């Protein structure tokens, strides 16, 4: 017990040195104002947006709150939660906030910090136990300590997690109810003036605030039990390391350093051995290959080494390994994107288009050559054929006129015929 008191006295002296004028400014504040400032700093520290100076200031404020709560005698060991007023319920969280913020203090020797944080959290748990705020199953499991089995420990964590989720859900419901009530109050104030008697219908009667603080305390209890277990394990690890250092001297630190050096060297050697195989090849784009074809360094018929590998989605165990069978390939293609994947790369599309254009140019040149070479022959032969046809037609017409003189077919119509 004397060791814990010495640790607390040393931390109080350090906090006074770091707090400085801020503690003097907060010295004359009443308990509600002190708790409001301290809870605000605790919320900032919980979101990791507070530096060490702010954490030490928050611890100093919480210590002042704890002293004032003790002087006022707000809680008694022969009371229950029903005997505590709604306005005083929030001050039950002072040792919990103090334990959480003390755990975040950065110090070269962390063991005193862990002990002080555990003391504050255990004080919070003991006060809640006296006020009958802790469930009976949680009390039984905490009394058993290390004698409980793994199954009991797992059941305890599951029950604690359920209580934590129920408390969070309760706080969220209360927050939503307050927001709806505020909107209704504003809407009613805009539509019609509220008289003195009607205003009490919209305001909270205190039951909702009490439910909110009880849910907050239940949530803090769940976190406090988990944090105490975590700090206890960390303290055991640090004590084991400290004992080994005292026993072996610098040999333990040198052994750890040598082990880290060997691991780093092995990692670099493996990386260097994988580098020649993992280095990506220089990409061959369509533009560079087309330039080589134009300048005569390559031809379109040459094989293109930059092949397009379609992306395969699916389990990493199948995609990462070699897809040796059709069954594995089909299994790897189960999870596919909703859009259609490309079937060729940009380079292959450019080469295909270039090949199509060359074939079209060859066909066009051939057609122009054929047309230009056969145009004269076709023209002369067509003229000669036309002349022969006209001559044959004229001869046939002359022969028909010789065989059929004019009026030869009308002899039967004459009187002498």
């Amino acid at each position: 017990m004397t060791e814990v008191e010495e640790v607390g006295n040393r931390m109080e002296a350090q906090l006074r040195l770091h707090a400085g004028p801020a503690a003097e400014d907060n010295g004359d504040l009443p308990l509600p104002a002190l708790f409001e400032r301290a809870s605000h700093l605790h919320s900032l520290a919980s979101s990791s947006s507070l530096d060490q100076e702010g954490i030490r200031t928050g611890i100093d404020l919480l210590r002042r709150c704890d002293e004032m709560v003790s002087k006022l005698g707000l809680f008694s060991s022969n009371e229950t939660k029903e005997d505590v007023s709604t306005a005083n319920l929030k001050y039950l969280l002072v040792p919990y906030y103090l334990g959480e913020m003390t755990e975040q203090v950065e110090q070269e020797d962390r063991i005193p910090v862990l002990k002080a944080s555990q003391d504050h959290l255990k004080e919070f748990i003991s006060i809640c136990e006296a006020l009958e705020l802790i469930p009976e199953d949680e009390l039984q499991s905490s009394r058993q300590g290390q004698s409980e089995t793994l199954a009991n420990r797992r059941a305890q964590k599951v029950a604690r997690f359920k209580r934590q989720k129920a408390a969070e859900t309760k706080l969220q419901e209360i927050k939503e109810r307050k927001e709806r009530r505020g909107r209704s109050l504003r809407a009613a104030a805009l539509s019609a003036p509220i008289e003195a008697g009607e205003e009490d219908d919209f305001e909270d009667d205190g039951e909702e605030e009490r439910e909110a603080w009880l849910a907050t305390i239940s949530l803090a209890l769940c976190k406090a039990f988990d944090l105490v277990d975590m700090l206890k394990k960390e303290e055991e690890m640090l004590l084991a390391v400290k004992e080994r250092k005292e026993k072996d001297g610098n040999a333990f630190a040198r052994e750890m350093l040598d082990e880290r050096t060997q691991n780093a060297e092995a990692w670099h050697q493996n990386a260097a051995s994988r580098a020649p195989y993992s280095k990506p090849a220089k990409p061959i784009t369509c533009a560079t290959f087309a330039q080589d074809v134009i300048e005569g360094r390559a031809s379109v018929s040459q094989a293109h080494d930059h092949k397009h590998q379609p992306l395969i989605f699916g389990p990493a165990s199948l995609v990462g390994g070699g897809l040796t069978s059709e069954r594995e390939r089909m299994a790897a293609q189960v999870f596919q994107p909703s859009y259609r994947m490309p079937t060729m790369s940009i380079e292959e599309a450019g080469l295909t288009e270039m090949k199509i254009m060359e074939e079209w140019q060859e066909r066009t040149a051939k057609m122009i050559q054929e047309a230009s070479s056969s145009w004269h022959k076709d023209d002369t032969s067509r003229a000669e054929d036309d002349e022969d046809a006209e001559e044959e037609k004229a001869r046939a017409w002359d022969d028909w006129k010789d065989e059929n003189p004019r009026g030869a077919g009308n002899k039967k119509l004459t009187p002498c015929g």
Side-chain angles (χ1 to χ4, degrees):
M1 189 66 183
T2 57
E3 182 182 356
V4 175
E5 291 178 355
E6 291 177 359
V7 170
N9 294 332
R10 287 200 301 269
M11 293 192 65
E12 285 181 3
Q14 292 179 2
L15 289 172
R16 290 193 184 97
L17 288 175
H18 287 84
E24 297 178 0
D25 296 340
N26 298 324
D28 299 334
L29 292 176
L31 181 58
L34 275 177
F35 180 79
E36 185 178 357
R37 288 193 180 184
S39 60
H40 176 66
L41 292 177
H42 172 264
S43 62
L44 292 177
S46 300
S47 60
S48 302
S49 57
L50 195 64
D51 55 0
Q52 286 296 309
E53 184 178 356
I55 290 174
R56 295 180 187 276
T57 304
I59 292 175
D60 184 69
L61 291 176
L62 288 169
R63 286 184 182 279
R64 292 176 181 274
C65 290
D66 195 14
E67 292 175 0
M68 295 180 70
V69 169
S70 300
K71 289 179 181 179
L72 294 174
L74 299 181
F75 309 110
S76 176
S77 59
N78 56 0
E79 292 179 344
T80 60
K81 59 183 178 181
E82 286 79 11
D83 299 328
V84 181
S85 63
T86 304
N88 295 335
L89 277 176
K90 56 186 176 182
Y91 301 123
L92 286 172
L93 297 169
V94 171
Y96 168 71
Y97 290 166
L98 196 54
E100 272 200 337
M101 294 192 73
T102 304
E103 186 268 334
Q104 298 181 12
V105 173
E106 295 179 0
Q107 189 173 317
E108 184 176 358
D109 189 7
R110 184 162 171 77
I111 295 177
V113 176
L114 297 177
K115 289 183 178 179
S117 178
Q118 289 183 68
D119 292 338
H120 293 306
L121 293 173
K122 289 177 181 178
E123 179 186 358
F124 169 67
I125 293 173
S126 62
I127 294 174
C128 293
E129 181 181 358
L131 296 176
E132 299 178 358
L133 289 169
I134 304 178
E136 189 64 29
D137 55 349
E138 187 72 48
L139 287 175
Q140 291 179 358
S141 59
S142 62
R143 292 193 186 101
Q144 290 177 1
Q146 298 294 335
S147 61
E148 61 181 0
T149 61
L150 293 177
N152 294 338
R153 194 175 304 172
R154 180 181 180 277
Q156 174 190 355
K157 289 186 177 181
V158 170
R160 190 179 299 165
F161 178 75
K162 289 181 179 179
R163 287 197 302 270
Q164 181 175 347
K165 296 300 292 183
E168 291 176 353
T169 306
K170 185 70 174 179
L171 289 174
Q172 185 65 25
E173 291 177 357
I174 293 173
K175 182 180 177 182
E176 292 176 355
R177 283 207 303 266
K178 286 184 177 180
E179 291 177 355
R180 288 196 297 268
R181 189 187 303 111
R183 289 194 296 267
S184 301
L185 183 60
R186 289 192 295 270
L190 291 175
S191 60
I194 301 176
E195 298 180 358
E198 298 177 353
E199 188 175 358
D200 297 335
D201 298 337
F202 294 98
E203 293 183 352
D204 187 12
D205 57 353
E207 290 296 328
E208 193 174 71
E209 183 181 0
R210 189 176 184 84
E211 291 180 3
W213 283 118
L214 289 176
T216 306
I217 293 170
S218 176
L219 180 62
L221 278 171
C222 297
K223 294 181 178 180
F225 279 111
D226 292 335
L227 188 57
V228 166
D229 294 339
M230 185 188 71
L231 296 178
K232 193 179 298 181
K233 292 178 181 178
E234 185 179 356
E235 183 184 359
E236 292 175 358
M237 292 172 58
L238 292 177
L239 287 174
V241 172
K242 186 177 180 180
E243 290 177 0
R244 187 170 179 182
K245 280 185 179 180
E246 292 176 354
K247 182 179 178 181
D248 301 338
N250 295 328
F252 176 65
R254 193 180 300 109
E255 182 181 351
M256 291 182 62
L257 184 60
D258 293 341
E259 184 179 358
R260 292 182 180 180
T261 304
Q262 291 176 1
N263 293 334
E265 289 179 355
W267 186 86
H268 284 293
Q269 289 177 359
N270 293 333
S273 62
R274 291 195 306 267
Y277 305 100
S278 60
K279 185 178 180 180
K282 184 179 179 181
I284 304 175
T285 60
C286 179
T288 56
F289 189 77
Q291 188 69 23
D292 293 340
V293 172
I294 292 173
E295 295 179 359
R297 292 190 296 269
S299 62
V300 182
S301 60
Q302 290 180 352
H304 196 222
D305 295 334
H306 190 61
K307 296 297 182 181
H308 171 67
Q309 298 294 336
L311 296 176
I312 299 178
F313 297 85
S317 59
L318 294 176
V319 177
L323 303 178
T324 56
S325 63
E326 186 66 22
R327 180 184 179 87
E328 293 180 355
R329 189 177 300 277
M330 293 176 65
Q333 292 178 349
V334 171
F335 302 100
Q336 293 296 311
S338 58
Y339 51 89
R340 181 176 295 180
M341 297 296 294
T343 57
M344 64 174 62
S345 63
I346 299 176
E347 293 81 6
E348 291 175 342
L351 291 175
T352 304
E353 186 175 353
M354 184 185 294
K355 188 175 181 180
I356 293 173
M357 288 297 297
E358 285 190 350
E359 293 177 356
W360 179 79
Q361 288 179 356
E362 291 177 359
R363 288 198 303 270
T364 304
K366 187 176 181 181
M367 290 174 61
I368 292 174
Q369 185 179 2
E370 291 177 355
S372 60
S373 62
S374 62
W375 176 78
H376 181 68
K377 295 179 181 179
D378 293 343
D379 191 20
T380 54
S381 61
R382 190 180 300 111
E384 292 176 357
D385 293 341
D386 292 342
E387 290 178 358
D388 295 340
E390 290 179 358
E391 185 177 357
E392 290 179 359
K393 185 177 179 180
R395 287 178 181 178
W397 177 245
D398 292 340
D399 294 339
W400 188 86
K401 285 195 296 181
D402 292 341
E403 293 175 0
N404 300 281
R406 185 178 180 84
N410 298 327
K411 289 183 178 180
K412 293 182 180 181
L413 297 177
T414 58
C416 297

